[in-house]
Amino acid sequence: MSEVRMKAGLAGQAAAAMAGLTTEEKNQALLAAADALLARSDEILRANEEDLERGRANGTSDSLLDRLKLTSERIGGIAEGLRQIVELPDPVGDVLETMDRPNGLHIVKRRVPLGVIGIIYEARPNVTVDAAGLCLKTGNAVVLRGGSSALSSNRAIVKVIHEALAETALPVEAIQLIEDPDRSSVDEMLKLNGLLDVVIPRGGSSLIQNVVQNATVPVIETGAGICHTYLDETARPEMAAAIALNAKVQRPSVCNAMETLLVHEAYAKAHLSRLASQFKEAGVELRGCEQTRELIPWASPATDEDFATEYNDYILNVKIVHELNEALAHIARFGTKHSECIVTENEEHAARFQQEIDAAAVYHNASTRFTDGFEFGFGAEIGISTQKLHARGPMGLPALTSSKYIIYGSGQIRS
Amino acid sequence: MSEVRMKAGLAGQAAAAMAGLTTEEKNQALLAAADALLARSDEILRANEEDLERGRANGTSDSLLDRLKLTSERIGGIAEGLRQIVELPDPVGDVLETMDRPNGLHIVKRRVPLGVIGIIYEARPNVTVDAAGLCLKTGNAVVLRGGSSALSSNRAIVKVIHEALAETALPVEAIQLIEDPDRSSVDEMLKLNGLLDVVIPRGGSSLIQNVVQNATVPVIETGAGICHTYLDETARPEMAAAIALNAKVQRPSVCNAMETLLVHEAYAKAHLSRLASQFKEAGVELRGCEQTRELIPWASPATDEDFATEYNDYILNVKIVHELNEALAHIARFGTKHSECIVTENEEHAARFQQEIDAAAVYHNASTRFTDGFEFGFGAEIGISTQKLHARGPMGLPALTSSKYIIYGSGQIRS
């Protein structure tokens, strides 16, 4: 039996036990894991150094090495993340609906864990702990498949958590780490119908597309964001500039950052030159439509390919539109249904934009950067769903649950 | 451009308009469609006769011909189904959650249509109307791909509905029928990421497995049910017999019918012979474990393959267990997480069974046949989900919706 199949099977057995644990038992285990990560951080840092050395020897880029790198401070932050999960309400057991039928059947719809969750991710070892913590809190078992570049770190982290869990009510088998670095172990996870209840990919678009294209198990697609900000005719210039700059430059590498700025013609004539200078000062390269380039000659031309690109970088497309409908049409064509924003003082335009745009989060007069589990007040986030099934937008703990109908009868039969 | 891609594209354009319709507009369209189906039933029956003739010429089985066959009465029932959908509350626009953040952001989570729903089904032309009605009521566009054996009927039905919709606020393009009878049109639908928001298969297990195995678009898996009824030591014999018989013979062909009866040893010794005779009288073939066959010599032996088979027929496996745990373990091994039942007077056993069994619906002292949207009071049903994501168990109108976060700001930016 392959490693993947064996470990998913063990996780499945653990999942049955996990579903019956109390919130208190789960919280104690999370705290034990947090304590162990701190107490044994030297061990984890040594393993992390192995990964870093291997990475440097392989010519890994500095930015990837930075994502891979752990420090005492980062481990402190990771442990603190577990403590924060402890503070969050446990959704498992919540009554979602009750129904009393004319025939006397009493039906209760309760939240239950999903079962076994597969997480496929890349170089960041903190995901190992975050994902395990969120899954454990919601009574799920988890099969982790991190990037091979972080394998030593992930092994050390899981070893520490396993040994901490052994002293608690949680079954150690609830956390499984796939150690096979070959891509085939990912492919195998994607076809484990009946053993994995869902797979959640976390990482870049090629990782996510591989999962979406090849999985036969249910998937929650996360990530891709070509987000737009539309500055309407009546936008207040100071607010509009602050929102547009924030959406682009506060953290360009993330999915809720803006990739294209749409500007109403009248607003553009009055304010775009100044705004363009602000972007330039912030180090942002502009690519503009023809009309934009008349106002900002130093911008390079924006092609349809540019409008369809998630840069995750200091590059911004700018397009001038003649009315709201043109902005709506552009977003319908190029958007990825993640986060979209209108800046306007016209309430009717705001309402139409928020009604007609098909996206997980639609903003009026606020930066798209707020699409985030913490900013929404969920306290934790397993990712941002860009699909419409099960969960859409930032996913907190309830997104890691399913439901079960429990039916109380007194001998009812169907006629 | 292929028929599938072209029609899915048209549906996508219609979906944008559908999302903004009022409940009143949608209801008027459903009523117009119901009236038209009745008024033009002769036309539909003539088309249906073409399908039936072709089926008879191809040697189609009587049971399949019966599923295919329409009558004035059946069309009346189908039209009545649309009127019932009119009576149901419209979930679109419901506020699911509101959040006020410390920074002043006001966040509203609203139900919205899924967008474009693909339905892949087999010979029953009534599904054409049911699925279209449920999708329209929830503001979705729908791409229907029925079985080629019902193509003439489906064409006639969709023509009638289209002509009725043309007189209403609904875009006619919201209902698309794929007419290409080739299996490749199904395969193409399964890969239409970005054009179809979800595919729902309705039909036999080979249809469903094809969809699950090959789709890259999100799928809601429906259908397969290997359902168990466990008669515990303290089950009341009259109630137990009534529930077991109902679960098996009231309609054996459906997914919530029982396939395996588990019986506590003590209960079996006292009551199984009599119950077996009742099954025999009802025309049910029994296949038993070794111990069962000591009590019921005329039962044939049940193999693991039998326990893993959804008969949908007058065949029942019987297995004697020594305690509750053995019943739980058998269901964990062979169940499909659809519907499971315990008959017992022992409340502790009932609670354990309902907690530990991982299934969409878990019954105490009632027949598994109640797992059904109408019986649960949803008023309509698009299918019964056997997966854990998005919807689990009977799916009413809310299962055809997603959500959208609408965020009201006053210039907030992220720091």
Side-chain angles (χ1 to χ4, degrees), chain A residues 16 19-21 97 99 101 103 105 107 109 112-116 191 193-194 197-198 209 212-221 236 239 242-244 246 250-251 256 337 353-367 369-372 374-378 387-394 399 401-415, chain B residues 16 19-21 97 99 101 103 105 107 109 112-116 191 193-194 197-198 209 212-221 236 239 242-244 246 250-251 256 337 353-367 369-372 374-378 387-394 399 401-415:
Chain A
L21 294 174
E97 214 175 338
M99 296 170 275
R101 303 297 304 149
N103 61 7
L105 283 183
I107 305 178
K109 184 180 185 180
V112 296
L114 280 170
V116 184
K191 311 279 185 192
N193 298 64
D197 292 290
V198 59
Q209 281 311 307
V212 168
Q213 294 298 320
N214 295 303
T216 55
V217 298
V219 170
I220 300 180
E221 186 173 353
R236 284 161 51 193
M239 183 195 289
I243 288 174
N246 186 259
Q250 195 256 346
R251 197 169 169 206
N256 56 22
K337 306 187 178 182
F353 189 89
Q354 293 189 305
Q355 159 68 28
E356 295 187 22
I357 290 286
D358 182 19
V362 190
Y363 292 82
H364 175 209
N365 290 351
S367 167
R369 286 281 294 111
F370 287 107
T371 303
D372 176 288
F374 294 92
E375 295 295 334
F376 275 33
F378 300 162
Q387 67 182 36
K388 294 189 193 173
L389 284 194
H390 187 70
R392 193 179 196 197
T401 66
S402 181
S403 61
K404 172 157 112 176
Y405 288 106
I406 297 176
I407 303 105
Y408 302 91
S410 49
Q412 284 83 351
I413 59 173
R414 191 158 166 192
S415 53
Chain B
L21 293 175
E97 216 176 335
M99 296 170 277
R101 303 297 304 149
N103 61 7
L105 284 183
I107 306 178
K109 184 180 185 180
V112 296
L114 280 169
V116 184
K191 311 279 186 193
N193 298 63
D197 292 291
V198 59
Q209 281 312 306
V212 168
Q213 294 299 319
N214 295 304
T216 55
V217 297
V219 169
I220 300 180
E221 186 173 353
R236 285 161 51 193
M239 184 195 288
I243 288 174
N246 187 260
Q250 196 255 346
R251 198 169 169 205
N256 57 21
K337 307 188 177 181
F353 189 90
Q354 292 189 306
Q355 159 68 28
E356 294 187 22
I357 290 287
D358 181 18
V362 191
Y363 292 82
H364 175 209
N365 290 350
S367 167
R369 287 280 294 113
F370 286 107
T371 303
D372 176 287
F374 295 91
E375 295 295 335
F376 274 33
F378 300 163
Q387 66 182 36
K388 294 190 193 172
L389 284 194
H390 187 71
R392 193 180 196 197
T401 65
S402 182
S403 62
K404 172 156 113 176
Y405 288 106
I406 297 176
I407 303 105
Y408 302 91
S410 49
Q412 283 83 353
I413 59 173
R414 193 159 164 191
S415 54

Side-chain angles (χ1 to χ4, degrees), chain A residues 14-25:
Chain A
M18 291 291 292
L21 294 174
T22 64
T23 303
E24 184 60 21
E25 287 169 325

Side-chain angles (χ1 to χ4, degrees), chain B residues 15 20 41 67 78 80 86 101 111 122 147-148 165 172 190 215 222 240 327 339 353 369 400 407-408 411:
Chain B
S41 58
R67 272 183 252 172
I78 290 169
E80 181 53 31
V86 169
R101 303 297 304 149
R111 267 196 204 284
E122 293 177 326
S148 53
L165 292 188
V172 166
L190 301 182
T222 65
S339 299
F353 189 90
R369 287 280 294 113
L400 295 178
I407 303 105
Y408 302 91

Side-chain angles (χ1 to χ4, degrees), chain B residues 112-243:
Chain B
V112 296
L114 280 169
V116 184
I117 298 176
I119 312 267
I120 297 175
Y121 55 107
E122 293 177 326
R124 293 177 194 270
N126 62 306
V127 174
T128 307
V129 183
D130 289 356
L134 294 167
C135 290
L136 293 189
K137 176 79 183 207
T138 44
N140 293 290
V142 64
V143 178
L144 299 161
R145 184 16 177 110
S148 53
S149 59
L151 185 56
S152 298
S153 312
N154 289 339
R155 262 192 200 134
I157 288 169
V158 170
K159 180 165 186 276
V160 166
I161 296 179
H162 274 169
E163 289 173 17
L165 292 188
E167 309 291 312
T168 74
L170 256 69
V172 166
E173 294 77 17
I175 300 179
Q176 297 290 337
L177 177 71
I178 302 302
E179 303 190 15
D180 180 356
D182 198 85
R183 155 88 179 261
S184 64
S185 62
V186 170
D187 296 339
E188 193 179 355
M189 281 178 72
L190 301 182
K191 311 279 186 193
L192 276 190
N193 298 63
L195 286 174
L196 294 186
D197 292 291
V198 59
V199 163
I200 304 176
R202 288 187 56 172
S205 64
S206 73
L207 168 73
I208 292 166
Q209 281 312 306
N210 176 43
V211 171
V212 168
Q213 294 299 319
N214 295 304
T216 55
V217 297
V219 169
I220 300 180
E221 186 173 353
T222 65
I226 297 179
C227 303
H228 301 76
T229 301
Y230 168 55
L231 308 182
D232 196 20
E233 185 170 7
T234 59
R236 285 161 51 193
E238 203 171 325
M239 184 195 288
I243 288 174

